[in-house]
Amino acid sequence: MVGTLDDATITEYFRNKSVLITGSTGFLGKILVEKILRVQPGVRRIYLPVRAADSAAARRRVETEVVGKELFRVLREQHDGGFDDFIMEKVVALAGDVTHEAFGIDATTLRDLQLADELHVIVNSAATTNFYERYDVALDVNVMGVKHMCAFAKKCPNLEVLLHVSTAYVAGEKQGLVQEKPFRDGETLRDGTHLDMDVELRLAKDVKKQMEADPDSPPKAERKAMKDLGLSRARHFGWPNTYVFTKSVGEMVLGMEMRGEGNVPAVIIRPSIITSIKNDPLPGWIEGTRTIDTFIIGYAKQNLSCFLADLNLIMDVMPGDMVVNAMMAATAAHASVSSFTTLPEKMEPQPPPQPPAVYHVSSSLRHPATYAVLYRTGIRYFEEHPQVGPDGRAMRAHKMRFMGNITAFHLFMIIKYRLPLEILRLLSILCCGLFGLASLYNDLDRKYRFMMRLVEVYGPFSLFKGFFDDVNLNRLRLSMAENGIDHVGLFNFDPKTVDWDNYFSNIHIPGVMKYVFK
């Protein structure tokens, strides 16, 4: 891309465009839908396929789980009493499922809407983000969902760009600089292994069939077997969990399916840890539990007294609104030649990249924050806003012990917690559960298991020693710079504009406590 990509250019790109967004009921999907509608009310249509029995159920789900959220308050106020009519005109809810061909949308609806001919942009943000997901489910959503999306994209003659949301942590547990480059077909993170997607799909299918064929196998056993299979396959190929492994395979599928497909550019957005909205439309708004938010909530509930983490390591986070800003900028920048007819002549489109262009939407290289920032601001927040205990009294914010070595952590947990718990259990048995010993044991054992689950799932991230190169994103950022001044306007995605202490103290942690903490 040559020339300047400014707020007006990006906003104008979406005018009279039809956009299909998967995963709209998710955190990032909602922010994207709201942003497009707010900055460009002249967008032609936004199509939202969601799991539902029929079109009426799909509409109800979009009304409840997307546009009905507090996130849309500013947009609702802008349109005053005309908000519902505006949404009815611009947003089309579709009963569908990314795990099926053509997004699971029935043929009659596709024909009546002429959806294939209508679309200019497809954004795939649908994913299962469960680190310990069933292998069959993770493959269906994170891998086959991408394959179905690409197959549909090939049938869209007016499609200008295909944008796929992945995660920066497809890097696994790499150390040092992680480059913005796509995966090669069959590439893995462990030497001596080669990935064959068809083999993995057959393996998941066969194991599931074996479990279902066993009449003595309860559904719970099948779920555990499929979850364990996903984790073992991920670790076999060098990834720490099922989520990042299947997202990596999804990227490979995108590269293979879209290779040589005319002039339709494919773009991969890899955000790091996505956190609450920083600026607009609602600072602090968040849905679901992000990786670091589990730590905040556990601390608020007094469930955490120690954790596996090195406070000096970089905690790579990006606010959700800044991730969406980067997505919209990348969409406008990579749209095919026909979309630039109304743009300045100096902005000449370049041939679409093959393989897909990759953007790390991250902060670890340009403006890093360490885990010490989160801990420091968390302590300060809970000292100023203490939680209230069951007795109605304010709970004192306690210090935590952090350990940066997993072997030392496990040894500490055995000596400090596991052995005393076993002694308490024996005493409870000998005393027949009297003196409240059984209740005390159950309470402490629950807290212990909660902590160990956190460490197993999030440990690889809290000890992650890599940092994400953002050379491609920086080029996009520089194209939005005017007179050498970094861009901080409507589509700002520069982490250098974030004061991390202020953000966590006054925006993110309060947002987590308001919208997530129960």
Side-chain angles (χ1 to χ4, degrees):
M1 184 181 63
V2 179
T4 301
L5 185 69
D6 56 17
D7 287 353
T9 300
I10 299 170
T11 302
E12 190 61 27
Y13 170 74
F14 286 92
R15 182 182 298 277
N16 206 33
K17 291 294 192 297
S18 290
V19 184
L20 184 144
I21 302 172
T22 70
S24 63
T25 58
F27 175 59
L28 202 62
K30 289 184 182 71
I31 301 174
L32 178 60
V33 172
E34 192 278 340
K35 181 88 175 193
I36 294 175
L37 290 172
R38 178 162 46 84
V39 303
Q40 184 48 274
V43 66
R44 183 184 299 174
R45 293 284 189 279
I46 298 181
Y47 294 92
L48 305 180
V50 296
R51 288 181 177 176
D54 52 38
S55 58
R59 168 58 62 177
R60 287 193 298 271
R61 189 175 178 199
V62 168
E63 289 174 349
T64 302
E65 299 182 32
V66 185
V67 299
K69 295 293 184 178
E70 187 178 354
L71 174 70
F72 285 74
R73 186 180 67 197
V74 172
L75 186 64
R76 186 178 293 272
E77 291 170 352
Q78 286 179 353
H79 289 271
D80 198 16
F83 176 78
D84 291 338
D85 290 338
F86 174 70
I87 294 298
M88 185 67 69
E89 177 189 355
K90 299 295 181 179
V91 178
V92 180
L94 302 170
D97 189 332
V98 297
T99 64
H100 297 94
E101 294 182 4
F103 303 109
I105 304 167
D106 68 87
T108 301
T109 300
L110 287 174
R111 185 177 60 253
D112 291 346
L113 292 175
Q114 296 184 320
L115 190 59
D117 294 328
E118 173 86 2
L119 290 179
H120 302 98
V121 178
I122 294 177
V123 177
N124 181 42
S125 65
T128 173
T129 59
N130 186 344
F131 290 1
Y132 185 43
E133 181 62 273
R134 289 178 58 122
Y135 197 33
D136 53 342
V137 172
L139 287 172
D140 274 349
V141 179
N142 295 344
V143 178
M144 293 306 296
V146 178
K147 188 178 180 68
H148 297 321
M149 174 191 66
C150 293
F152 186 80
K154 294 175 185 178
K155 300 176 182 178
C156 300
N158 297 310
L159 191 67
E160 296 172 353
V161 64
L162 175 64
L163 188 141
H164 172 66
V165 181
S166 185
T167 170
Y169 291 96
V170 291
E173 298 173 285
K174 283 184 179 178
Q175 299 186 19
L177 185 66
V178 180
Q179 295 181 330
E180 292 170 301
K181 64 177 184 178
F183 283 98
R184 301 186 305 274
D185 299 352
E187 180 181 358
T188 70
L189 301 183
R190 173 169 290 172
D191 291 340
T193 60
H194 179 78
L195 178 65
D196 186 323
M197 188 187 74
D198 292 332
V199 170
E200 298 307 307
L201 290 169
R202 283 197 302 270
L203 176 62
K205 185 177 180 180
D206 290 346
V207 171
K208 182 180 180 180
K209 187 179 296 184
Q210 291 172 8
M211 296 297 296
E212 291 175 341
D214 184 356
D216 298 324
S217 177
K220 186 176 180 180
E222 179 191 320
R223 287 195 299 272
K224 186 177 186 305
M226 295 307 297
K227 287 184 174 184
D228 289 344
L229 176 63
L231 198 57
S232 67
R233 296 308 290 170
R235 291 176 174 173
H236 170 74
F237 291 114
W239 280 271
N241 59 62
T242 310
Y243 165 57
V244 294
F245 168 52
T246 52
K247 290 297 287 184
S248 305
V249 182
E251 286 194 15
M252 296 178 202
V253 169
L254 180 70
M256 289 187 290
E257 293 292 325
M258 298 307 293
R259 185 178 298 138
E261 285 303 316
N263 292 321
V264 179
V267 178
I268 296 173
I269 295 289
R270 289 179 183 165
S272 53
I273 299 170
I274 305 174
T275 52
S276 63
I277 288 176
K278 177 184 179 291
N279 290 318
D280 64 296
L282 191 60
W285 188 83
I286 190 171
E287 262 194 346
T289 304
R290 310 293 103 186
T291 306
I292 61 171
D293 301 336
T294 307
F295 165 82
I296 296 170
I297 293 169
Y299 184 85
K301 291 182 176 180
Q302 303 285 293
N303 285 338
L304 292 177
S305 58
C306 63
F307 197 70
L308 177 67
D310 185 340
L311 295 183
N312 294 317
L313 289 179
I314 294 171
M315 170 187 62
D316 199 313
V317 296
M318 282 293 284
D321 54 331
M322 298 179 78
V323 175
V324 163
N325 291 343
M327 291 167 62
M328 293 180 69
T331 299
H334 285 272
S336 56
V337 175
S338 61
S339 69
F340 286 91
T341 55
T342 62
L343 300 187
E345 292 182 2
K346 63 179 180 179
M347 189 173 178
E348 299 174 0
Q350 300 299 302
Q354 295 290 339
V358 176
Y359 290 99
H360 281 153
V361 186
S362 56
S363 60
S364 54
L365 189 63
R366 183 166 172 81
H367 187 45
T370 64
Y371 282 94
V373 174
L374 177 64
Y375 181 54
R376 180 174 65 247
T377 55
I379 290 290
R380 183 165 64 242
Y381 176 85
F382 289 111
E383 285 177 345
E384 296 174 354
H385 306 86
Q387 298 300 294
V388 177
D391 58 359
R393 296 182 178 182
M395 295 188 297
R396 183 180 178 183
H398 63 272
K399 303 294 182 181
M400 283 185 60
R401 178 192 295 266
F402 290 90
M403 307 186 75
N405 180 282
I406 193 163
T407 302
F409 176 82
H410 281 294
L411 181 61
F412 171 81
M413 292 299 293
I414 290 172
I415 296 173
K416 181 75 175 179
Y417 294 100
R418 190 70 260 170
L419 288 178
L421 272 172
E422 288 303 312
I423 294 173
L424 182 61
R425 185 178 67 85
L426 291 174
L427 286 174
S428 176
I429 293 173
L430 291 174
C431 297
C432 301
L434 298 175
F435 312 113
L437 293 177
S439 177
L440 178 60
Y441 169 78
N442 290 332
D443 181 56
L444 294 176
D445 184 62
R446 184 172 61 253
K447 291 181 179 179
Y448 170 81
R449 293 182 183 279
F450 171 77
M451 191 182 308
M452 295 307 291
R453 281 198 304 272
L454 283 184
V455 167
E456 181 179 5
V457 173
Y458 299 117
F461 297 90
S462 62
L463 295 180
F464 185 74
K465 295 181 179 178
F467 49 98
F468 300 109
D469 187 17
D470 62 352
V471 63
N472 292 339
L473 191 72
N474 197 44
R475 288 196 188 105
L476 190 63
R477 186 184 299 118
L478 290 174
S479 74
M480 299 177 68
E482 297 180 358
N483 301 319
I485 301 174
D486 286 340
H487 185 80
V488 291
L490 191 60
F491 296 98
N492 174 40
F493 50 87
D494 186 352
K496 275 195 173 182
T497 62
V498 183
D499 179 331
W500 292 120
D501 273 78
N502 177 69
Y503 170 71
F504 283 109
S505 296
N506 299 318
I507 298 176
H508 182 69
I509 296 177
V512 170
M513 299 305 293
K514 178 178 180 179
Y515 296 107
V516 180
F517 182 72
K518 304 296 182 184

